[in-house]
mmCIF file of all heavy atoms in Angstrom:
data_model
loop_
_atom_site.group_PDB
_atom_site.id
_atom_site.type_symbol
_atom_site.label_atom_id
_atom_site.label_comp_id
_atom_site.label_asym_id
_atom_site.label_seq_id
_atom_site.Cartn_x
_atom_site.Cartn_y
_atom_site.Cartn_z
ATOM 1 N N MET A 13 -21.970 -5.946 15.956
ATOM 2 C CA MET A 13 -20.830 -5.876 15.206
ATOM 3 C C MET A 13 -20.557 -7.275 14.436
ATOM 4 O O MET A 13 -20.686 -8.299 15.028
ATOM 5 C CB MET A 13 -19.642 -5.668 16.147
ATOM 6 C CG MET A 13 -18.311 -5.387 15.468
ATOM 7 S SD MET A 13 -16.888 -5.203 16.566
ATOM 8 C CE MET A 13 -17.100 -3.533 17.103
ATOM 9 N N GLY A 14 -20.195 -7.167 13.158
ATOM 10 C CA GLY A 14 -19.970 -8.347 12.373
ATOM 11 C C GLY A 14 -18.609 -8.917 12.453
ATOM 12 O O GLY A 14 -17.802 -8.463 13.229
ATOM 13 N N THR A 15 -18.312 -9.926 11.611
ATOM 14 C CA THR A 15 -17.026 -10.401 11.587
ATOM 15 C C THR A 15 -16.076 -9.578 10.822
ATOM 16 O O THR A 15 -16.503 -8.617 10.065
ATOM 17 C CB THR A 15 -17.046 -11.813 11.013
ATOM 18 O OG1 THR A 15 -17.563 -11.752 9.733
ATOM 19 C CG2 THR A 15 -17.894 -12.785 11.783
ATOM 20 N N GLY A 16 -14.810 -9.769 10.779
ATOM 21 C CA GLY A 16 -13.933 -9.035 10.076
ATOM 22 C C GLY A 16 -12.692 -8.787 10.859
ATOM 23 O O GLY A 16 -12.219 -9.505 11.754
ATOM 24 N N SER A 17 -12.094 -7.582 10.640
ATOM 25 C CA SER A 17 -10.864 -7.227 11.386
ATOM 26 C C SER A 17 -11.135 -7.029 12.830
ATOM 27 O O SER A 17 -10.179 -6.995 13.707
ATOM 28 C CB SER A 17 -10.271 -5.968 10.791
ATOM 29 O OG SER A 17 -11.143 -4.906 10.854
ATOM 30 N N ALA A 18 -12.419 -6.798 13.228
ATOM 31 C CA ALA A 18 -12.704 -6.531 14.662
ATOM 32 C C ALA A 18 -13.066 -7.837 15.347
ATOM 33 O O ALA A 18 -13.442 -7.827 16.521
ATOM 34 C CB ALA A 18 -13.845 -5.594 14.696
ATOM 35 N N PHE A 19 -13.038 -8.996 14.682
ATOM 36 C CA PHE A 19 -13.366 -10.276 15.273
ATOM 37 C C PHE A 19 -12.534 -10.559 16.459
ATOM 38 O O PHE A 19 -11.311 -10.392 16.459
ATOM 39 C CB PHE A 19 -13.159 -11.390 14.253
ATOM 40 C CG PHE A 19 -13.566 -12.749 14.716
ATOM 41 C CD1 PHE A 19 -14.824 -13.128 14.870
ATOM 42 C CD2 PHE A 19 -12.526 -13.627 15.128
ATOM 43 C CE1 PHE A 19 -15.171 -14.355 15.343
ATOM 44 C CE2 PHE A 19 -12.898 -14.846 15.540
ATOM 45 C CZ PHE A 19 -14.166 -15.178 15.707
ATOM 46 N N TYR A 20 -13.169 -11.010 17.495
ATOM 47 C CA TYR A 20 -12.429 -11.405 18.669
ATOM 48 C C TYR A 20 -12.887 -12.741 19.226
ATOM 49 O O TYR A 20 -14.081 -13.007 19.274
ATOM 50 C CB TYR A 20 -12.628 -10.362 19.786
ATOM 51 C CG TYR A 20 -12.055 -10.745 21.101
ATOM 52 C CD1 TYR A 20 -10.670 -10.679 21.401
ATOM 53 C CD2 TYR A 20 -12.878 -11.232 22.133
ATOM 54 C CE1 TYR A 20 -10.124 -11.096 22.579
ATOM 55 C CE2 TYR A 20 -12.342 -11.693 23.398
ATOM 56 C CZ TYR A 20 -10.991 -11.471 23.637
ATOM 57 O OH TYR A 20 -10.450 -11.919 24.789
ATOM 58 N N SER A 21 -12.000 -13.577 19.584
ATOM 59 C CA SER A 21 -12.205 -14.897 20.134
ATOM 60 C C SER A 21 -11.352 -15.052 21.303
ATOM 61 O O SER A 21 -10.154 -14.972 21.197
ATOM 62 C CB SER A 21 -11.991 -16.046 19.148
ATOM 63 O OG SER A 21 -12.190 -17.266 19.825
ATOM 64 N N PRO A 22 -11.843 -15.317 22.520
ATOM 65 C CA PRO A 22 -11.007 -15.472 23.783
ATOM 66 C C PRO A 22 -9.831 -16.501 23.554
ATOM 67 O O PRO A 22 -8.835 -16.376 24.079
ATOM 68 C CB PRO A 22 -11.955 -15.902 24.819
ATOM 69 C CG PRO A 22 -13.294 -15.406 24.417
ATOM 70 C CD PRO A 22 -13.211 -15.460 22.864
ATOM 71 N N GLY A 23 -10.199 -17.469 22.687
ATOM 72 C CA GLY A 23 -9.217 -18.515 22.449
ATOM 73 C C GLY A 23 -8.069 -18.077 21.551
ATOM 74 O O GLY A 23 -7.008 -18.767 21.301
ATOM 75 N N MET A 24 -8.269 -17.012 20.878
ATOM 76 C CA MET A 24 -7.304 -16.454 19.914
ATOM 77 C C MET A 24 -6.848 -15.078 20.251
ATOM 78 O O MET A 24 -6.758 -14.212 19.420
ATOM 79 C CB MET A 24 -7.786 -16.485 18.515
ATOM 80 C CG MET A 24 -8.239 -17.863 18.004
ATOM 81 S SD MET A 24 -9.008 -17.858 16.429
ATOM 82 C CE MET A 24 -7.582 -17.454 15.426
ATOM 83 N N VAL A 25 -6.548 -14.795 21.492
ATOM 84 C CA VAL A 25 -6.203 -13.477 21.987
ATOM 85 C C VAL A 25 -4.985 -12.924 21.224
ATOM 86 O O VAL A 25 -3.998 -13.507 20.986
ATOM 87 C CB VAL A 25 -5.863 -13.577 23.525
ATOM 88 C CG1 VAL A 25 -5.336 -12.168 23.973
ATOM 89 C CG2 VAL A 25 -7.057 -13.955 24.239
ATOM 90 N N GLY A 26 -5.125 -11.723 20.694
ATOM 91 C CA GLY A 26 -4.005 -11.069 20.023
ATOM 92 C C GLY A 26 -3.981 -11.381 18.492
ATOM 93 O O GLY A 26 -3.321 -10.713 17.768
ATOM 94 N N SER A 27 -4.737 -12.271 18.006
ATOM 95 C CA SER A 27 -4.739 -12.618 16.639
ATOM 96 C C SER A 27 -5.336 -11.582 15.709
ATOM 97 O O SER A 27 -4.853 -11.331 14.600
ATOM 98 C CB SER A 27 -5.317 -14.013 16.320
ATOM 99 O OG SER A 27 -6.742 -14.007 16.615
ATOM 100 N N ALA A 28 -6.435 -10.932 16.083
ATOM 101 C CA ALA A 28 -7.095 -9.940 15.281
ATOM 102 C C ALA A 28 -6.282 -8.743 15.095
ATOM 103 O O ALA A 28 -6.241 -8.089 14.050
ATOM 104 C CB ALA A 28 -8.483 -9.629 15.731
ATOM 105 N N GLY A 29 -5.618 -8.286 16.126
ATOM 106 C CA GLY A 29 -4.778 -6.990 16.103
ATOM 107 C C GLY A 29 -3.657 -7.161 15.105
ATOM 108 O O GLY A 29 -3.406 -6.206 14.348
ATOM 109 N N ALA A 30 -2.988 -8.317 15.087
ATOM 110 C CA ALA A 30 -1.904 -8.506 14.279
ATOM 111 C C ALA A 30 -2.256 -8.578 12.831
ATOM 112 O O ALA A 30 -1.565 -7.954 11.982
ATOM 113 C CB ALA A 30 -1.182 -9.853 14.580
ATOM 114 N N ALA A 31 -3.363 -9.080 12.472
ATOM 115 C CA ALA A 31 -3.936 -9.108 11.108
ATOM 116 C C ALA A 31 -4.185 -7.695 10.649
ATOM 117 O O ALA A 31 -3.830 -7.305 9.435
ATOM 118 C CB ALA A 31 -5.101 -9.984 10.985
ATOM 119 N N SER A 32 -4.807 -6.896 11.423
ATOM 120 C CA SER A 32 -5.173 -5.551 10.961
ATOM 121 C C SER A 32 -3.923 -4.680 10.848
ATOM 122 O O SER A 32 -3.833 -3.799 9.980
ATOM 123 C CB SER A 32 -6.233 -4.893 11.870
ATOM 124 O OG SER A 32 -5.645 -4.793 13.196
ATOM 125 N N ARG A 33 -2.894 -4.941 11.648
ATOM 126 C CA ARG A 33 -1.655 -4.157 11.589
ATOM 127 C C ARG A 33 -0.927 -4.525 10.360
ATOM 128 O O ARG A 33 -0.426 -3.753 9.653
ATOM 129 C CB ARG A 33 -0.794 -4.491 12.872
ATOM 130 C CG ARG A 33 -0.455 -3.278 13.645
ATOM 131 C CD ARG A 33 0.611 -3.560 14.763
ATOM 132 N NE ARG A 33 0.724 -4.890 15.328
ATOM 133 C CZ ARG A 33 0.040 -5.482 16.297
ATOM 134 N NH1 ARG A 33 -0.988 -4.749 16.841
ATOM 135 N NH2 ARG A 33 0.204 -6.718 16.718
ATOM 136 N N SER A 34 -0.935 -5.843 10.051
ATOM 137 C CA SER A 34 -0.325 -6.208 8.807
ATOM 138 C C SER A 34 -0.961 -5.724 7.647
ATOM 139 O O SER A 34 -0.309 -5.366 6.578
ATOM 140 C CB SER A 34 -0.246 -7.812 8.705
ATOM 141 O OG SER A 34 0.559 -8.351 9.726
ATOM 142 N N SER A 35 -2.261 -5.650 7.619
ATOM 143 C CA SER A 35 -3.033 -5.091 6.579
ATOM 144 C C SER A 35 -2.736 -3.621 6.378
ATOM 145 O O SER A 35 -2.529 -3.103 5.249
ATOM 146 C CB SER A 35 -4.528 -5.320 6.768
ATOM 147 O OG SER A 35 -5.275 -4.722 5.694
ATOM 148 N N ALA A 36 -2.699 -2.937 7.422
ATOM 149 C CA ALA A 36 -2.327 -1.436 7.368
ATOM 150 C C ALA A 36 -0.978 -1.247 6.819
ATOM 151 O O ALA A 36 -0.722 -0.357 6.034
ATOM 152 C CB ALA A 36 -2.454 -0.882 8.797
ATOM 153 N N MET A 37 -0.002 -2.015 7.203
ATOM 154 C CA MET A 37 1.362 -1.952 6.763
ATOM 155 C C MET A 37 1.402 -2.201 5.290
ATOM 156 O O MET A 37 2.161 -1.583 4.533
ATOM 157 C CB MET A 37 2.262 -2.843 7.549
ATOM 158 C CG MET A 37 2.527 -2.354 9.027
ATOM 159 S SD MET A 37 3.404 -3.488 10.116
ATOM 160 C CE MET A 37 4.952 -3.645 9.158
ATOM 161 N N ALA A 38 0.675 -3.256 4.835
ATOM 162 C CA ALA A 38 0.673 -3.623 3.407
ATOM 163 C C ALA A 38 0.079 -2.407 2.566
ATOM 164 O O ALA A 38 0.561 -2.101 1.484
ATOM 165 C CB ALA A 38 -0.078 -4.905 3.153
ATOM 166 N N ASP A 39 -1.029 -1.896 3.175
ATOM 167 C CA ASP A 39 -1.600 -0.740 2.399
ATOM 168 C C ASP A 39 -0.636 0.417 2.329
ATOM 169 O O ASP A 39 -0.580 1.028 1.300
ATOM 170 C CB ASP A 39 -2.932 -0.232 3.176
ATOM 171 C CG ASP A 39 -4.056 -1.208 3.045
ATOM 172 O OD1 ASP A 39 -4.010 -2.048 2.135
ATOM 173 O OD2 ASP A 39 -4.937 -1.094 3.829
ATOM 174 N N GLN A 40 0.161 0.656 3.364
ATOM 175 C CA GLN A 40 1.072 1.845 3.351
ATOM 176 C C GLN A 40 2.147 1.489 2.386
ATOM 177 O O GLN A 40 2.637 2.385 1.602
ATOM 178 C CB GLN A 40 1.727 2.003 4.757
ATOM 179 C CG GLN A 40 2.611 3.214 4.791
ATOM 180 C CD GLN A 40 3.160 3.414 6.182
ATOM 181 O OE1 GLN A 40 2.811 2.733 7.145
ATOM 182 N NE2 GLN A 40 4.074 4.342 6.308
ATOM 183 N N ALA A 41 2.626 0.232 2.299
ATOM 184 C CA ALA A 41 3.775 -0.119 1.383
ATOM 185 C C ALA A 41 3.303 0.040 -0.011
ATOM 186 O O ALA A 41 4.008 0.444 -0.924
ATOM 187 C CB ALA A 41 4.163 -1.592 1.693
ATOM 188 N N LEU A 42 2.018 -0.352 -0.315
ATOM 189 C CA LEU A 42 1.426 -0.216 -1.632
ATOM 190 C C LEU A 42 1.422 1.256 -2.033
ATOM 191 O O LEU A 42 1.749 1.685 -3.114
ATOM 192 C CB LEU A 42 0.065 -0.865 -1.733
ATOM 193 C CG LEU A 42 -0.655 -0.716 -3.030
ATOM 194 C CD1 LEU A 42 0.198 -1.469 -4.069
ATOM 195 C CD2 LEU A 42 -2.068 -1.352 -2.941
ATOM 196 N N ASP A 43 0.920 2.075 -1.126
ATOM 197 C CA ASP A 43 0.839 3.568 -1.327
ATOM 198 C C ASP A 43 2.109 4.150 -1.699
ATOM 199 O O ASP A 43 2.362 4.923 -2.653
ATOM 200 C CB ASP A 43 0.226 4.318 -0.225
ATOM 201 C CG ASP A 43 -1.280 4.042 -0.022
ATOM 202 O OD1 ASP A 43 -1.890 3.490 -0.990
ATOM 203 O OD2 ASP A 43 -1.729 4.344 1.022
ATOM 204 N N GLU A 44 3.309 3.641 -0.944
ATOM 205 C CA GLU A 44 4.599 4.129 -1.263
ATOM 206 C C GLU A 44 5.144 3.709 -2.614
ATOM 207 O O GLU A 44 5.660 4.406 -3.317
ATOM 208 C CB GLU A 44 5.535 3.705 -0.197
ATOM 209 C CG GLU A 44 5.309 4.320 1.127
ATOM 210 C CD GLU A 44 6.032 3.734 2.323
ATOM 211 O OE1 GLU A 44 6.728 2.788 2.203
ATOM 212 O OE2 GLU A 44 5.825 4.214 3.541
ATOM 213 N N GLU A 45 4.760 2.451 -3.047
ATOM 214 C CA GLU A 45 5.243 1.979 -4.401
ATOM 215 C C GLU A 45 4.500 2.795 -5.430
ATOM 216 O O GLU A 45 5.125 3.131 -6.482
ATOM 217 C CB GLU A 45 4.903 0.463 -4.533
ATOM 218 C CG GLU A 45 5.773 -0.462 -3.580
ATOM 219 C CD GLU A 45 7.218 -0.364 -4.094
ATOM 220 O OE1 GLU A 45 7.450 -0.325 -5.338
ATOM 221 O OE2 GLU A 45 8.165 -0.394 -3.193
ATOM 222 N N ILE A 46 3.251 2.992 -5.262
ATOM 223 C CA ILE A 46 2.465 3.820 -6.266
ATOM 224 C C ILE A 46 3.031 5.138 -6.375
ATOM 225 O O ILE A 46 3.248 5.697 -7.531
ATOM 226 C CB ILE A 46 0.973 3.795 -5.951
ATOM 227 C CG1 ILE A 46 0.389 2.440 -6.098
ATOM 228 C CG2 ILE A 46 0.225 4.848 -6.812
ATOM 229 C CD1 ILE A 46 -1.022 2.339 -5.586
ATOM 230 N N ASP A 47 3.435 5.837 -5.247
ATOM 231 C CA ASP A 47 4.087 7.128 -5.281
ATOM 232 C C ASP A 47 5.316 7.134 -6.045
ATOM 233 O O ASP A 47 5.685 7.994 -6.832
ATOM 234 C CB ASP A 47 4.256 7.666 -3.916
ATOM 235 C CG ASP A 47 2.995 8.190 -3.241
ATOM 236 O OD1 ASP A 47 2.014 8.315 -3.947
ATOM 237 O OD2 ASP A 47 2.972 8.264 -2.014
ATOM 238 N N HIS A 48 6.152 6.103 -5.753
ATOM 239 C CA HIS A 48 7.389 5.937 -6.446
ATOM 240 C C HIS A 48 7.314 5.777 -8.015
ATOM 241 O O HIS A 48 8.037 6.380 -8.661
ATOM 242 C CB HIS A 48 8.208 4.682 -5.835
ATOM 243 C CG HIS A 48 9.524 4.492 -6.460
ATOM 244 N ND1 HIS A 48 10.585 5.299 -6.304
ATOM 245 C CD2 HIS A 48 9.935 3.486 -7.320
ATOM 246 C CE1 HIS A 48 11.587 4.839 -7.029
ATOM 247 N NE2 HIS A 48 11.212 3.749 -7.668
ATOM 248 N N VAL A 49 6.417 4.986 -8.329
ATOM 249 C CA VAL A 49 6.158 4.738 -9.837
ATOM 250 C C VAL A 49 5.730 6.043 -10.409
ATOM 251 O O VAL A 49 6.128 6.404 -11.539
ATOM 252 C CB VAL A 49 5.105 3.575 -10.072
ATOM 253 C CG1 VAL A 49 4.673 3.627 -11.469
ATOM 254 C CG2 VAL A 49 5.685 2.307 -9.689
ATOM 255 N N THR A 50 4.743 6.758 -9.774
ATOM 256 C CA THR A 50 4.322 8.046 -10.276
ATOM 257 C C THR A 50 5.434 9.043 -10.428
ATOM 258 O O THR A 50 5.535 9.717 -11.433
ATOM 259 C CB THR A 50 3.195 8.655 -9.443
ATOM 260 O OG1 THR A 50 2.177 7.612 -9.339
ATOM 261 C CG2 THR A 50 2.635 9.912 -9.933
ATOM 262 N N THR A 51 6.249 9.137 -9.429
ATOM 263 C CA THR A 51 7.388 10.063 -9.395
ATOM 264 C C THR A 51 8.489 9.719 -10.484
ATOM 265 O O THR A 51 8.828 10.578 -11.270
ATOM 266 C CB THR A 51 8.104 10.056 -7.984
ATOM 267 O OG1 THR A 51 7.164 10.432 -7.064
ATOM 268 C CG2 THR A 51 9.307 11.011 -8.049
ATOM 269 N N THR A 52 8.694 8.401 -10.603
ATOM 270 C CA THR A 52 9.617 7.989 -11.658
ATOM 271 C C THR A 52 9.147 8.350 -13.086
ATOM 272 O O THR A 52 9.847 8.744 -13.882
ATOM 273 C CB THR A 52 9.855 6.422 -11.464
ATOM 274 O OG1 THR A 52 10.322 6.234 -10.176
ATOM 275 C CG2 THR A 52 10.876 5.984 -12.551
ATOM 276 N N ARG A 53 7.851 8.071 -13.291
ATOM 277 C CA ARG A 53 7.263 8.382 -14.595
ATOM 278 C C ARG A 53 7.317 9.906 -14.899
ATOM 279 O O ARG A 53 7.681 10.343 -15.955
ATOM 280 C CB ARG A 53 5.787 7.948 -14.695
ATOM 281 C CG ARG A 53 5.226 8.228 -16.026
ATOM 282 C CD ARG A 53 3.795 7.724 -16.251
ATOM 283 N NE ARG A 53 3.450 8.067 -17.534
ATOM 284 C CZ ARG A 53 2.214 7.951 -18.039
ATOM 285 N NH1 ARG A 53 1.350 7.327 -17.331
ATOM 286 N NH2 ARG A 53 1.970 8.349 -19.289
ATOM 287 N N GLU A 54 6.979 10.690 -13.880
ATOM 288 C CA GLU A 54 7.068 12.134 -14.106
ATOM 289 C C GLU A 54 8.581 12.659 -14.388
ATOM 290 O O GLU A 54 8.704 13.587 -15.172
ATOM 291 C CB GLU A 54 6.549 12.854 -12.808
ATOM 292 C CG GLU A 54 5.079 12.740 -12.711
ATOM 293 C CD GLU A 54 4.622 13.286 -11.358
ATOM 294 O OE1 GLU A 54 5.390 13.691 -10.445
ATOM 295 O OE2 GLU A 54 3.354 13.269 -11.189
ATOM 296 N N GLU A 55 9.427 11.921 -13.730
ATOM 297 C CA GLU A 55 10.887 12.307 -14.023
ATOM 298 C C GLU A 55 11.390 11.877 -15.444
ATOM 299 O O GLU A 55 12.246 12.481 -16.025
ATOM 300 C CB GLU A 55 11.839 11.668 -12.982
ATOM 301 C CG GLU A 55 11.572 12.281 -11.573
ATOM 302 C CD GLU A 55 12.323 11.614 -10.523
ATOM 303 O OE1 GLU A 55 12.874 10.405 -10.735
ATOM 304 O OE2 GLU A 55 12.321 12.006 -9.358
ATOM 305 N N LEU A 56 10.863 10.700 -15.913
ATOM 306 C CA LEU A 56 11.212 10.217 -17.153
ATOM 307 C C LEU A 56 10.522 10.812 -18.419
ATOM 308 O O LEU A 56 11.075 10.859 -19.512
ATOM 309 C CB LEU A 56 10.961 8.802 -17.238
ATOM 310 C CG LEU A 56 11.908 7.850 -16.332
ATOM 311 C CD1 LEU A 56 11.449 6.372 -16.390
ATOM 312 C CD2 LEU A 56 13.338 8.037 -16.835
ATOM 313 N N GLU A 57 9.320 11.385 -18.205
ATOM 314 C CA GLU A 57 8.591 11.927 -19.265
ATOM 315 C C GLU A 57 9.318 12.973 -20.148
ATOM 316 O O GLU A 57 9.360 12.955 -21.327
ATOM 317 C CB GLU A 57 7.242 12.533 -18.820
ATOM 318 C CG GLU A 57 6.157 11.410 -18.788
ATOM 319 C CD GLU A 57 4.764 12.065 -18.399
ATOM 320 O OE1 GLU A 57 4.645 13.257 -18.194
ATOM 321 O OE2 GLU A 57 3.873 11.160 -18.206
ATOM 322 N N PRO A 58 10.001 13.929 -19.480
ATOM 323 C CA PRO A 58 10.808 14.821 -20.330
ATOM 324 C C PRO A 58 11.882 14.268 -21.159
ATOM 325 O O PRO A 58 12.072 14.646 -22.319
ATOM 326 C CB PRO A 58 11.415 15.852 -19.292
ATOM 327 C CG PRO A 58 10.585 15.739 -18.113
ATOM 328 C CD PRO A 58 10.030 14.306 -18.084
ATOM 329 N N ALA A 59 12.431 13.225 -20.643
ATOM 330 C CA ALA A 59 13.506 12.502 -21.376
ATOM 331 C C ALA A 59 12.981 11.756 -22.617
ATOM 332 O O ALA A 59 13.610 11.649 -23.584
ATOM 333 C CB ALA A 59 14.301 11.576 -20.479
ATOM 334 N N LEU A 60 11.781 11.306 -22.422
ATOM 335 C CA LEU A 60 11.061 10.533 -23.494
ATOM 336 C C LEU A 60 10.238 11.522 -24.396
ATOM 337 O O LEU A 60 9.504 10.967 -25.310
ATOM 338 C CB LEU A 60 10.206 9.495 -22.886
ATOM 339 C CG LEU A 60 11.017 8.457 -22.144
ATOM 340 C CD1 LEU A 60 9.957 7.519 -21.467
ATOM 341 C CD2 LEU A 60 11.896 7.619 -22.936
ATOM 342 N N HIS A 61 10.222 12.812 -24.166
ATOM 343 C CA HIS A 61 9.499 13.776 -24.945
ATOM 344 C C HIS A 61 7.973 13.376 -24.888
ATOM 345 O O HIS A 61 7.313 13.530 -25.920
ATOM 346 C CB HIS A 61 9.975 13.839 -26.395
ATOM 347 C CG HIS A 61 11.450 14.033 -26.469
ATOM 348 N ND1 HIS A 61 11.997 15.256 -26.088
ATOM 349 C CD2 HIS A 61 12.438 13.285 -26.853
ATOM 350 C CE1 HIS A 61 13.358 15.240 -26.267
ATOM 351 N NE2 HIS A 61 13.628 14.073 -26.666
ATOM 352 N N GLY A 62 7.536 12.974 -23.712
ATOM 353 C CA GLY A 62 6.014 12.767 -23.556
ATOM 354 C C GLY A 62 5.582 11.443 -24.088
ATOM 355 O O GLY A 62 4.367 11.236 -24.086
ATOM 356 N N ARG A 63 6.398 10.662 -24.637
ATOM 357 C CA ARG A 63 5.916 9.328 -25.162
ATOM 358 C C ARG A 63 5.576 8.462 -23.922
ATOM 359 O O ARG A 63 6.072 8.537 -22.891
ATOM 360 C CB ARG A 63 6.996 8.570 -25.889
ATOM 361 C CG ARG A 63 7.295 9.264 -27.238
ATOM 362 C CD ARG A 63 8.374 8.447 -27.992
ATOM 363 N NE ARG A 63 9.615 9.025 -27.417
ATOM 364 C CZ ARG A 63 10.804 8.483 -27.686
ATOM 365 N NH1 ARG A 63 10.885 7.283 -28.388
ATOM 366 N NH2 ARG A 63 11.929 8.935 -27.240
ATOM 367 N N THR A 64 4.464 7.653 -24.178
ATOM 368 C CA THR A 64 3.935 6.756 -23.089
ATOM 369 C C THR A 64 4.135 5.392 -23.523
ATOM 370 O O THR A 64 4.196 5.026 -24.657
ATOM 371 C CB THR A 64 2.581 7.037 -22.761
ATOM 372 O OG1 THR A 64 1.752 6.927 -23.844
ATOM 373 C CG2 THR A 64 2.460 8.389 -22.040
#
């Protein structure tokens, strides 16, 4: 197993788990923002008559 999110060091107990959790939460937040932008654009297109 190489280094990365699975890295474990006895002197740093718990540090790898927090980083991967934060990364997963950031990914989820980004996905939600992208969905919001897409939805907003779809809602605005009829008002703008398809202009981009």
Side-chain angles (χ1 to χ4, degrees):
M13 185 183 277
T15 60
S17 62
F19 180 77
Y20 172 76
S21 172
M24 299 177 68
V25 174
S27 62
S32 61
R33 240 186 339 272
S34 293
S35 177
M37 290 172 59
D39 288 343
Q40 182 177 358
L42 179 59
D43 288 344
E44 290 170 2
E45 288 294 322
I46 291 170
D47 287 343
H48 178 71
V49 168
T50 302
T51 301
T52 302
R53 180 174 180 189
E54 289 171 355
E55 291 170 352
L56 289 174
E57 275 183 3
L60 298 173
H61 306 290
R63 291 181 274 168
T64 55

